[in-house]
Amino acid sequence: MKVLPLLAAVGLWISFAESAHAAAPPSRPDRRTQAPTADDAVKNLDEIVFAVRLPYDDGHWYANIGYYCDDQRKAYTGNGRPDAGRLCAWNARTGQLRTLLDARGGSVRDPQVHYDGRKVLFSYRQAGSDYYHLYEINVDGSGLRQITSGEYDDYEPTYLPDGDIVFVSTRCRCWVNCWMTQVGVLYRCDADGKNIRRISHNGEHDNTPWVMPDGRILYMRWEYVDRSQVEFHHLWTMNPDGTGQAIFYGNMHPGVVMIDAKPIPGSRDVLANFSPGHGVNEHRGIATIVSPTSGPDDRASARPLHKPPLVKDPYPLADGSFLAARGKEIVRFDAAGRAQTLFTWPGQGEVHEPRPIASRPREPVIPSRVDWSKPAGRLVLADVYQGRAMQGVRRGEIKKLLVLELLPKQVNFSGGPDLVSWLGTFTLERVLGTVPVEADGSASFEVPACRPVFFVALDEKDLSVKRMHSFTSVMPGETTACVGCHEPRTRTPEAGRLADLTALRRAPSRIQPFEGFPDVLDFNRDIQPILDRHCVACHKPERRDGGVLLTGDLGPQWSHAYFSLLAHLEVADGRNGLGNYPPRTIGSSASPLLKKLEGGHYDVQATSDEWRTVWLWIESGAPYAGSYAALRNEYEQGLAGRATARVFRDGADVLRRRCGTCHALGKPSDERGRPLPFQPNIARNHRGVNRPTGVYERVVLENDPIAKFSANILLNFTRPAKSSLLLGPLAKEAGGYGSCGRVFTTTDDPDYRRLLASIEQGKSDLDSVPRYATPGFRPNRQYVREMKRYGILPASFDPQRDPIDVFQADQAYWRSFWHEPASVGRTATSSASR
């Protein structure tokens, strides 16, 4: 991942926001007058409740609960060490400091004051425990009671006006798709902790819920559907029952985490903390006013209130000022962004989440629209042709929607997609099937409840026209609608047209599955056999037509075929970009491989079933591994790195002496024309510039000698003697390519033998733990551990001896999230409570 240095990212965001806001009038009265006095700072304030705790170690804004997947090292504050946790109250008028709860080595976070001002709801991890749970205490420190329990983290709670509680929890039993910590999403429960129900169905974090004046929930949603994993974490709203999920602000504007948002009293605006880039430890950021008046995409609607240093946990007050935490300090900012320190904590730890102890009016209660007896909800699309970046799409061109489901991870070990893809999708995508689009562009169809789905618009040949780069979900019995395809959120259907939609003249369509085809695709299981039948005869080490290898032989990370198809742009996947690509630039329409398979490449002619299988693979994100059991722990990833390093370490002298003439200083060069020495990971990017590349860098290969290319194609760890690193410099008469001349005239050359031996040893190192898609492969201990914890594998399962079909195990895990409709007299189960 490439992340801007913190201060640079902060400066860029402030510069962008200030310039965008320059021409826009403030949404509240401007109180930029004289500097605040000490009396001003405590005006209208009595007591402030706040939490104290030690910082946590991870640099990510979300990695502050649970444990790390690989080694179960604690991610929460103190990394398993005793914390300095306290819940305190400070009187702004008298200066008196009170301790409501001394956690005695435990940790306290996320206090919220009740509507009556007499109780405080918070999250508390007791000393010796690994889990945060919800607690409540009176403001005088009496009456401590536990609300939730279990082997999950429950945190960031807020009171609901009907007496229930909404909170974030790891009860969703999944892991961050690009990190090694657990996911938390939104749940609600009764005031006593009973009837816990899941209300958001993200595979990534949903955080910091808060009730808006109209009764909806405002929260931060992190998502990346075939787009960058570090750019999109913005403000969303939903009803307290989970229905009506909608963007509030920012989903078209990458590069900032919008978190800890709360409504500003007496205003439609909200105050949020804009944490720069991919977010900063402890949610630190720039307190920013966001106005919804001009819609969710207007850049000028976000106005930063101050410059660095960053603050934590801003809380808006009725007079236009706000409280915030800054290190050990509680500070108050006026409307002009001028800060006054109110209080400095004298002890160990830092101050967090300052909130005034005061009563406040309850918001209106929004009646629930959920019908737990229903297995599905309904989606209505008004006009698929209304939207952004739809240039060139003719009315009547779109015939269907492909419906895909995002699948949660039961383990994860790195910041990249690992073996799921080559910096494409981080998430496996299940193909649910298709639904029809009417001639007027409308669609109406049922969607399985409580499951995250997204869509691809298809033409009459089932080729992709436009791909959704977000997701939606419906609660049981919910009907929801959208105007078009990535349409501006200030747009509504044409007057009078909604009631006349063709799709509404009939019952909702049911998703039509692709019977007889896998719904989750795996490259080695499903795609490689098709390549073996139609492509490998001309694209193997012994022939390598066009410089393309399509065998299933393994490089350090992926197979040669998978790497080659992506590197030679035969497949167009999400490319880890910013999404909302122009029509027909992603998926099946932009993937030449499909055209070749249907007769457009010499005498290749795939069957209709083979073509459909490859089509399904491409449209579901072109994954490499179709099981999360393939994800590699630190040791397994290290094996691949060490095997590759061994080759270029043990062969360094040979490469320098025998290859240095062409691959020395000056060949290749970097973006500025500066020479780079020989190294295996030099590759040519999409602009034709030579540059060093890491394991996850996406590169485009040339049909040219291979010595400048990635180790993933240079090395063959299935058949070492077929490695391009050996065949390129080997003379043709000796069985090589001769693409580097006659560096080695015979395979008996001592230097050739040394290089071969280093690759054979690398293969031996890798084979010590059978790799994914090879005989003897077994899922790692972390996968087994979590699948036992989730109840998918029995506690008695022996990972060394007991048989396991990882594809079926994954399917059982995913099915455990499916909503089971409630019958009379019982409560819905599955994803409603997990």
Side-chain angles (χ1 to χ4, degrees):
M1 292 186 294
K2 298 178 180 176
V3 182
L4 287 171
L6 173 59
L7 290 180
V10 173
L12 282 173
W13 173 253
I14 292 177
S15 175
F16 144 73
E18 287 180 337
S19 62
H21 190 78
S27 57
R28 293 179 54 82
D30 194 350
R31 298 181 175 88
R32 302 183 185 206
T33 56
Q34 60 194 33
T37 66
D39 289 339
D40 291 331
V42 298
K43 184 179 179 181
N44 300 323
L45 278 178
D46 289 317
E47 278 198 303
I48 299 171
V49 68
F50 62 93
V52 174
R53 59 182 177 272
L54 296 171
Y56 62 94
D57 297 337
D58 197 296
H60 294 84
W61 54 271
Y62 53 84
N64 52 19
I65 42 89
Y67 56 89
Y68 288 91
C69 190
D70 201 329
D71 55 9
Q72 293 189 276
R73 177 170 50 95
K74 312 307 179 187
Y76 52 73
T77 299
N79 189 24
R81 302 183 299 275
D83 199 354
R86 290 173 182 264
L87 183 66
C88 298
W90 175 77
N91 192 301
R93 298 187 183 279
T94 68
Q96 180 187 8
L97 176 65
R98 299 187 293 117
T99 297
L100 278 64
L101 175 68
D102 182 348
R104 300 184 182 277
S107 189
V108 175
R109 55 177 293 172
D110 313 318
Q112 198 212 30
V113 178
H114 191 268
Y115 294 103
D116 62 14
R118 298 176 182 177
K119 297 177 290 188
V120 178
L121 176 67
F122 63 102
S123 189
Y124 173 28
R125 182 183 57 78
Q126 295 190 13
S129 169
D130 289 334
Y131 303 103
Y132 283 98
H133 295 124
L134 303 188
Y135 285 75
E136 191 176 58
I137 195 170
N138 295 326
V139 295
D140 64 1
S142 66
L144 177 68
R145 73 181 185 98
Q146 185 171 348
I147 298 174
T148 63
S149 61
E151 294 187 350
Y152 308 98
D153 286 289
D154 302 323
Y155 56 108
E156 296 176 354
T158 190
Y159 288 109
L160 292 175
D162 65 358
D164 281 5
I165 296 167
V166 66
F167 60 101
V168 178
S169 180
T170 60
R171 296 169 187 269
C172 55
R173 304 176 307 146
C174 59
W175 293 75
V176 173
N177 282 245
C178 65
W179 200 235
M180 56 282 288
T181 52
Q182 294 166 80
V183 166
V185 298
L186 302 189
Y187 285 73
R188 66 177 290 170
C189 66
D190 300 345
D192 59 4
K194 295 180 180 178
N195 293 316
I196 294 175
R197 306 177 292 285
R198 184 174 179 175
I199 59 172
S200 73
H201 297 89
N202 197 351
E204 293 295 350
H205 278 274
D206 291 330
N207 281 98
T208 59
W210 206 267
V211 183
M212 298 182 70
D214 62 5
R216 289 179 298 158
I217 304 297
L218 177 68
Y219 65 103
M220 186 230 68
R221 173 163 129 176
W222 180 21
E223 61 171 32
Y224 41 102
V225 180
D226 296 327
R227 60 178 180 172
S228 172
Q229 78 276 25
V230 296
E231 301 285 354
F232 297 93
H233 357 59
H234 299 102
L235 299 180
W236 288 71
T237 60
M238 67 164 65
N239 296 325
D241 63 355
T243 62
Q245 295 180 25
I247 181 67
F248 181 83
Y249 183 75
N251 200 39
M252 295 300 296
H253 305 312
V256 65
V257 176
M258 302 176 184
I259 201 163
D260 290 310
K262 300 171 184 64
I264 297 174
S267 165
R268 295 183 61 198
D269 299 348
V270 303
L271 178 69
N273 221 22
F274 278 28
S275 193
H278 187 36
V280 181
N281 175 289
E282 302 285 11
H283 297 191
R284 288 177 293 132
I286 299 295
T288 302
I289 290 178
V290 177
S291 172
T293 305
S294 299
D297 301 329
D298 180 33
R299 292 181 184 273
S301 295
R303 178 164 61 91
L305 294 176
H306 62 95
K307 294 186 178 181
L310 306 181
V311 300
K312 300 174 291 187
D313 317 307
Y315 190 99
L317 302 175
D319 64 354
S321 65
F322 67 93
L323 299 176
R326 190 172 63 189
K328 290 178 175 290
E329 299 176 333
I330 297 176
V331 294
R332 184 173 185 170
F333 287 82
D334 67 9
R338 292 172 296 216
Q340 185 118 22
T341 299
L342 300 182
F343 168 78
T344 301
W345 173 249
Q348 188 182 19
E350 293 187 353
V351 170
H352 299 266
E353 299 107 17
R355 288 90 161 86
I357 299 178
S359 62
R360 55 194 170 89
R362 292 179 186 257
E363 304 84 5
V365 175
I366 299 176
S368 178
R369 296 161 50 194
V370 176
D371 182 349
W372 294 108
S373 69
K374 303 294 186 182
R378 181 185 186 185
L379 279 171
V380 177
L381 169 65
D383 186 357
V384 73
Y385 301 100
Q386 297 294 318
R388 300 179 181 91
M390 294 291 286
Q391 59 270 25
V393 180
R394 302 181 310 278
R395 186 163 289 277
E397 186 175 349
I398 296 172
K399 303 298 184 182
K400 301 176 186 175
L401 295 180
L402 176 66
V403 185
L404 296 145
E405 177 187 3
L406 298 169
L407 298 172
K409 284 182 173 178
Q410 60 275 68
V411 289
N412 202 59
F413 302 101
S414 74
D418 196 6
L419 295 185
V420 173
S421 76
W422 180 19
L423 204 60
T425 182
F426 282 68
T427 309
L428 291 175
E429 301 166 3
R430 185 202 303 276
V431 179
L432 296 181
T434 61
V435 294
V437 173
E438 305 294 343
D440 64 350
S442 65
S444 172
F445 54 99
E446 293 183 349
V447 176
C450 305
R451 290 158 69 178
V453 296
F454 68 105
F455 314 109
V456 181
L458 305 176
D459 66 13
E460 62 183 0
K461 296 182 179 179
D462 282 357
L463 297 179
S464 58
V465 178
K466 185 72 175 176
R467 189 177 184 90
M468 184 175 174
H469 287 94
S470 182
F471 75 90
T472 190
S473 62
V474 295
M475 297 297 285
E478 177 185 5
T479 295
T480 192
C482 56
V483 175
C485 184
H486 285 281
E487 81 285 351
R489 296 306 190 263
T490 53
R491 182 177 297 174
T492 59
E494 297 176 11
R497 188 173 182 277
L498 188 60
D500 196 39
L501 297 180
T502 303
L504 294 183
R505 300 174 188 169
R506 54 168 173 76
S509 301
R510 293 192 174 184
I511 298 172
Q512 296 301 308
F514 291 91
E515 299 289 354
F517 293 89
D519 58 358
V520 180
L521 280 293
D522 178 88
F523 184 84
N524 289 289
R525 182 194 64 192
D526 302 314
I527 306 304
Q528 188 61 53
I530 298 172
L531 301 179
D532 289 342
R533 288 191 289 272
H534 298 286
C535 309
V536 166
C538 299
H539 299 286
K540 56 187 177 181
E542 297 82 0
R543 183 165 174 177
R544 202 178 63 117
D545 284 7
V548 176
L549 293 174
L550 294 179
T551 63
D553 293 348
L554 298 178
Q557 308 291 332
W558 307 279
S559 72
H560 287 174
Y562 181 80
F563 182 87
S564 295
L565 288 174
L566 291 169
H568 288 279
L569 299 183
E570 289 296 320
V571 172
D573 63 354
R575 302 191 297 277
N576 200 236
L578 297 182
N580 198 24
Y581 297 106
R584 299 189 180 277
T585 59
I586 183 173
S588 54
S589 282
S591 298
L593 175 62
L594 283 174
K595 184 66 69 176
K596 289 180 169 65
L597 288 174
E598 62 185 16
H601 184 67
Y602 299 100
D603 58 352
V604 173
Q605 184 66 62
T607 67
S608 59
D609 281 358
E610 290 172 333
W611 186 93
R612 178 63 70 186
T613 300
V614 176
W615 179 90
L616 288 166
W617 172 68
I618 291 172
E619 293 298 357
S620 61
Y624 179 65
S627 166
Y628 291 136
L631 299 177
R632 300 166 302 168
N633 61 28
E634 184 177 4
Y635 177 75
E636 293 163 333
Q637 292 183 57
L639 277 178
R642 288 190 295 273
T644 304
R646 172 189 290 277
V647 173
F648 294 101
R649 182 192 66 224
D650 294 352
D653 177 62
V654 173
L655 295 171
R656 186 168 49 252
R657 288 186 293 100
R658 305 298 292 272
C659 305
T661 302
C662 297
H663 302 286
L665 294 178
K667 294 187 177 181
S669 62
D670 66 13
E671 287 92 333
R672 297 182 182 180
R674 297 173 300 190
L676 292 171
F678 176 88
Q679 53 181 303
N681 281 346
I682 294 296
R684 191 173 294 276
N685 70 6
H686 66 282
R687 296 185 301 273
V689 177
N690 288 329
R691 65 178 181 181
T693 177
V695 167
Y696 295 116
E697 187 87 32
R698 284 292 291 270
V699 297
V700 177
L701 301 187
E702 301 169 308
N703 300 329
D704 190 58
I706 44 75
K708 287 185 279 188
F709 302 151
S710 170
N712 283 285
I713 204 72
L714 282 171
L715 302 178
N716 189 324
F717 283 131
T718 300
R719 297 179 290 168
K722 301 299 182 181
S723 295
S724 295
L725 185 64
L726 293 170
L727 297 178
L730 182 63
K732 287 185 177 181
E733 59 268 26
Y737 303 150
S739 53
C740 295
R742 302 173 78 253
V743 177
F744 302 130
T745 59
T746 172
T747 56
D748 292 327
D749 186 303
D751 284 340
Y752 174 94
R753 304 302 301 177
R754 286 179 58 189
L755 207 52
L756 173 60
S758 69
I759 301 172
E760 289 175 334
Q761 186 57 56
K763 169 180 164 56
S764 177
D765 293 345
L766 279 172
D767 288 347
S768 64
V769 178
R771 302 173 68 184
Y772 181 72
T774 65
F777 168 77
R778 304 286 294 181
N780 58 46
R781 59 183 175 83
Q782 291 89 349
Y783 176 92
V784 172
R785 179 194 71 211
E786 296 302 304
M787 293 289 267
K788 286 183 177 181
R789 188 164 78 93
Y790 302 150
I792 306 302
L793 292 177
S796 61
F797 179 83
D798 186 327
Q800 300 303 317
R801 292 195 298 269
D802 291 346
I804 182 172
D805 182 329
V806 295
F807 298 110
Q808 291 303 314
D810 276 10
Q811 292 281 2
Y813 166 69
W814 296 323
R815 282 195 300 272
S816 73
F817 292 92
W818 291 6
H819 165 62
E820 298 175 7
S823 59
V824 177
R826 71 180 181 90
T827 303
T829 58
S830 194
S831 70
S833 56
R834 290 199 289 267

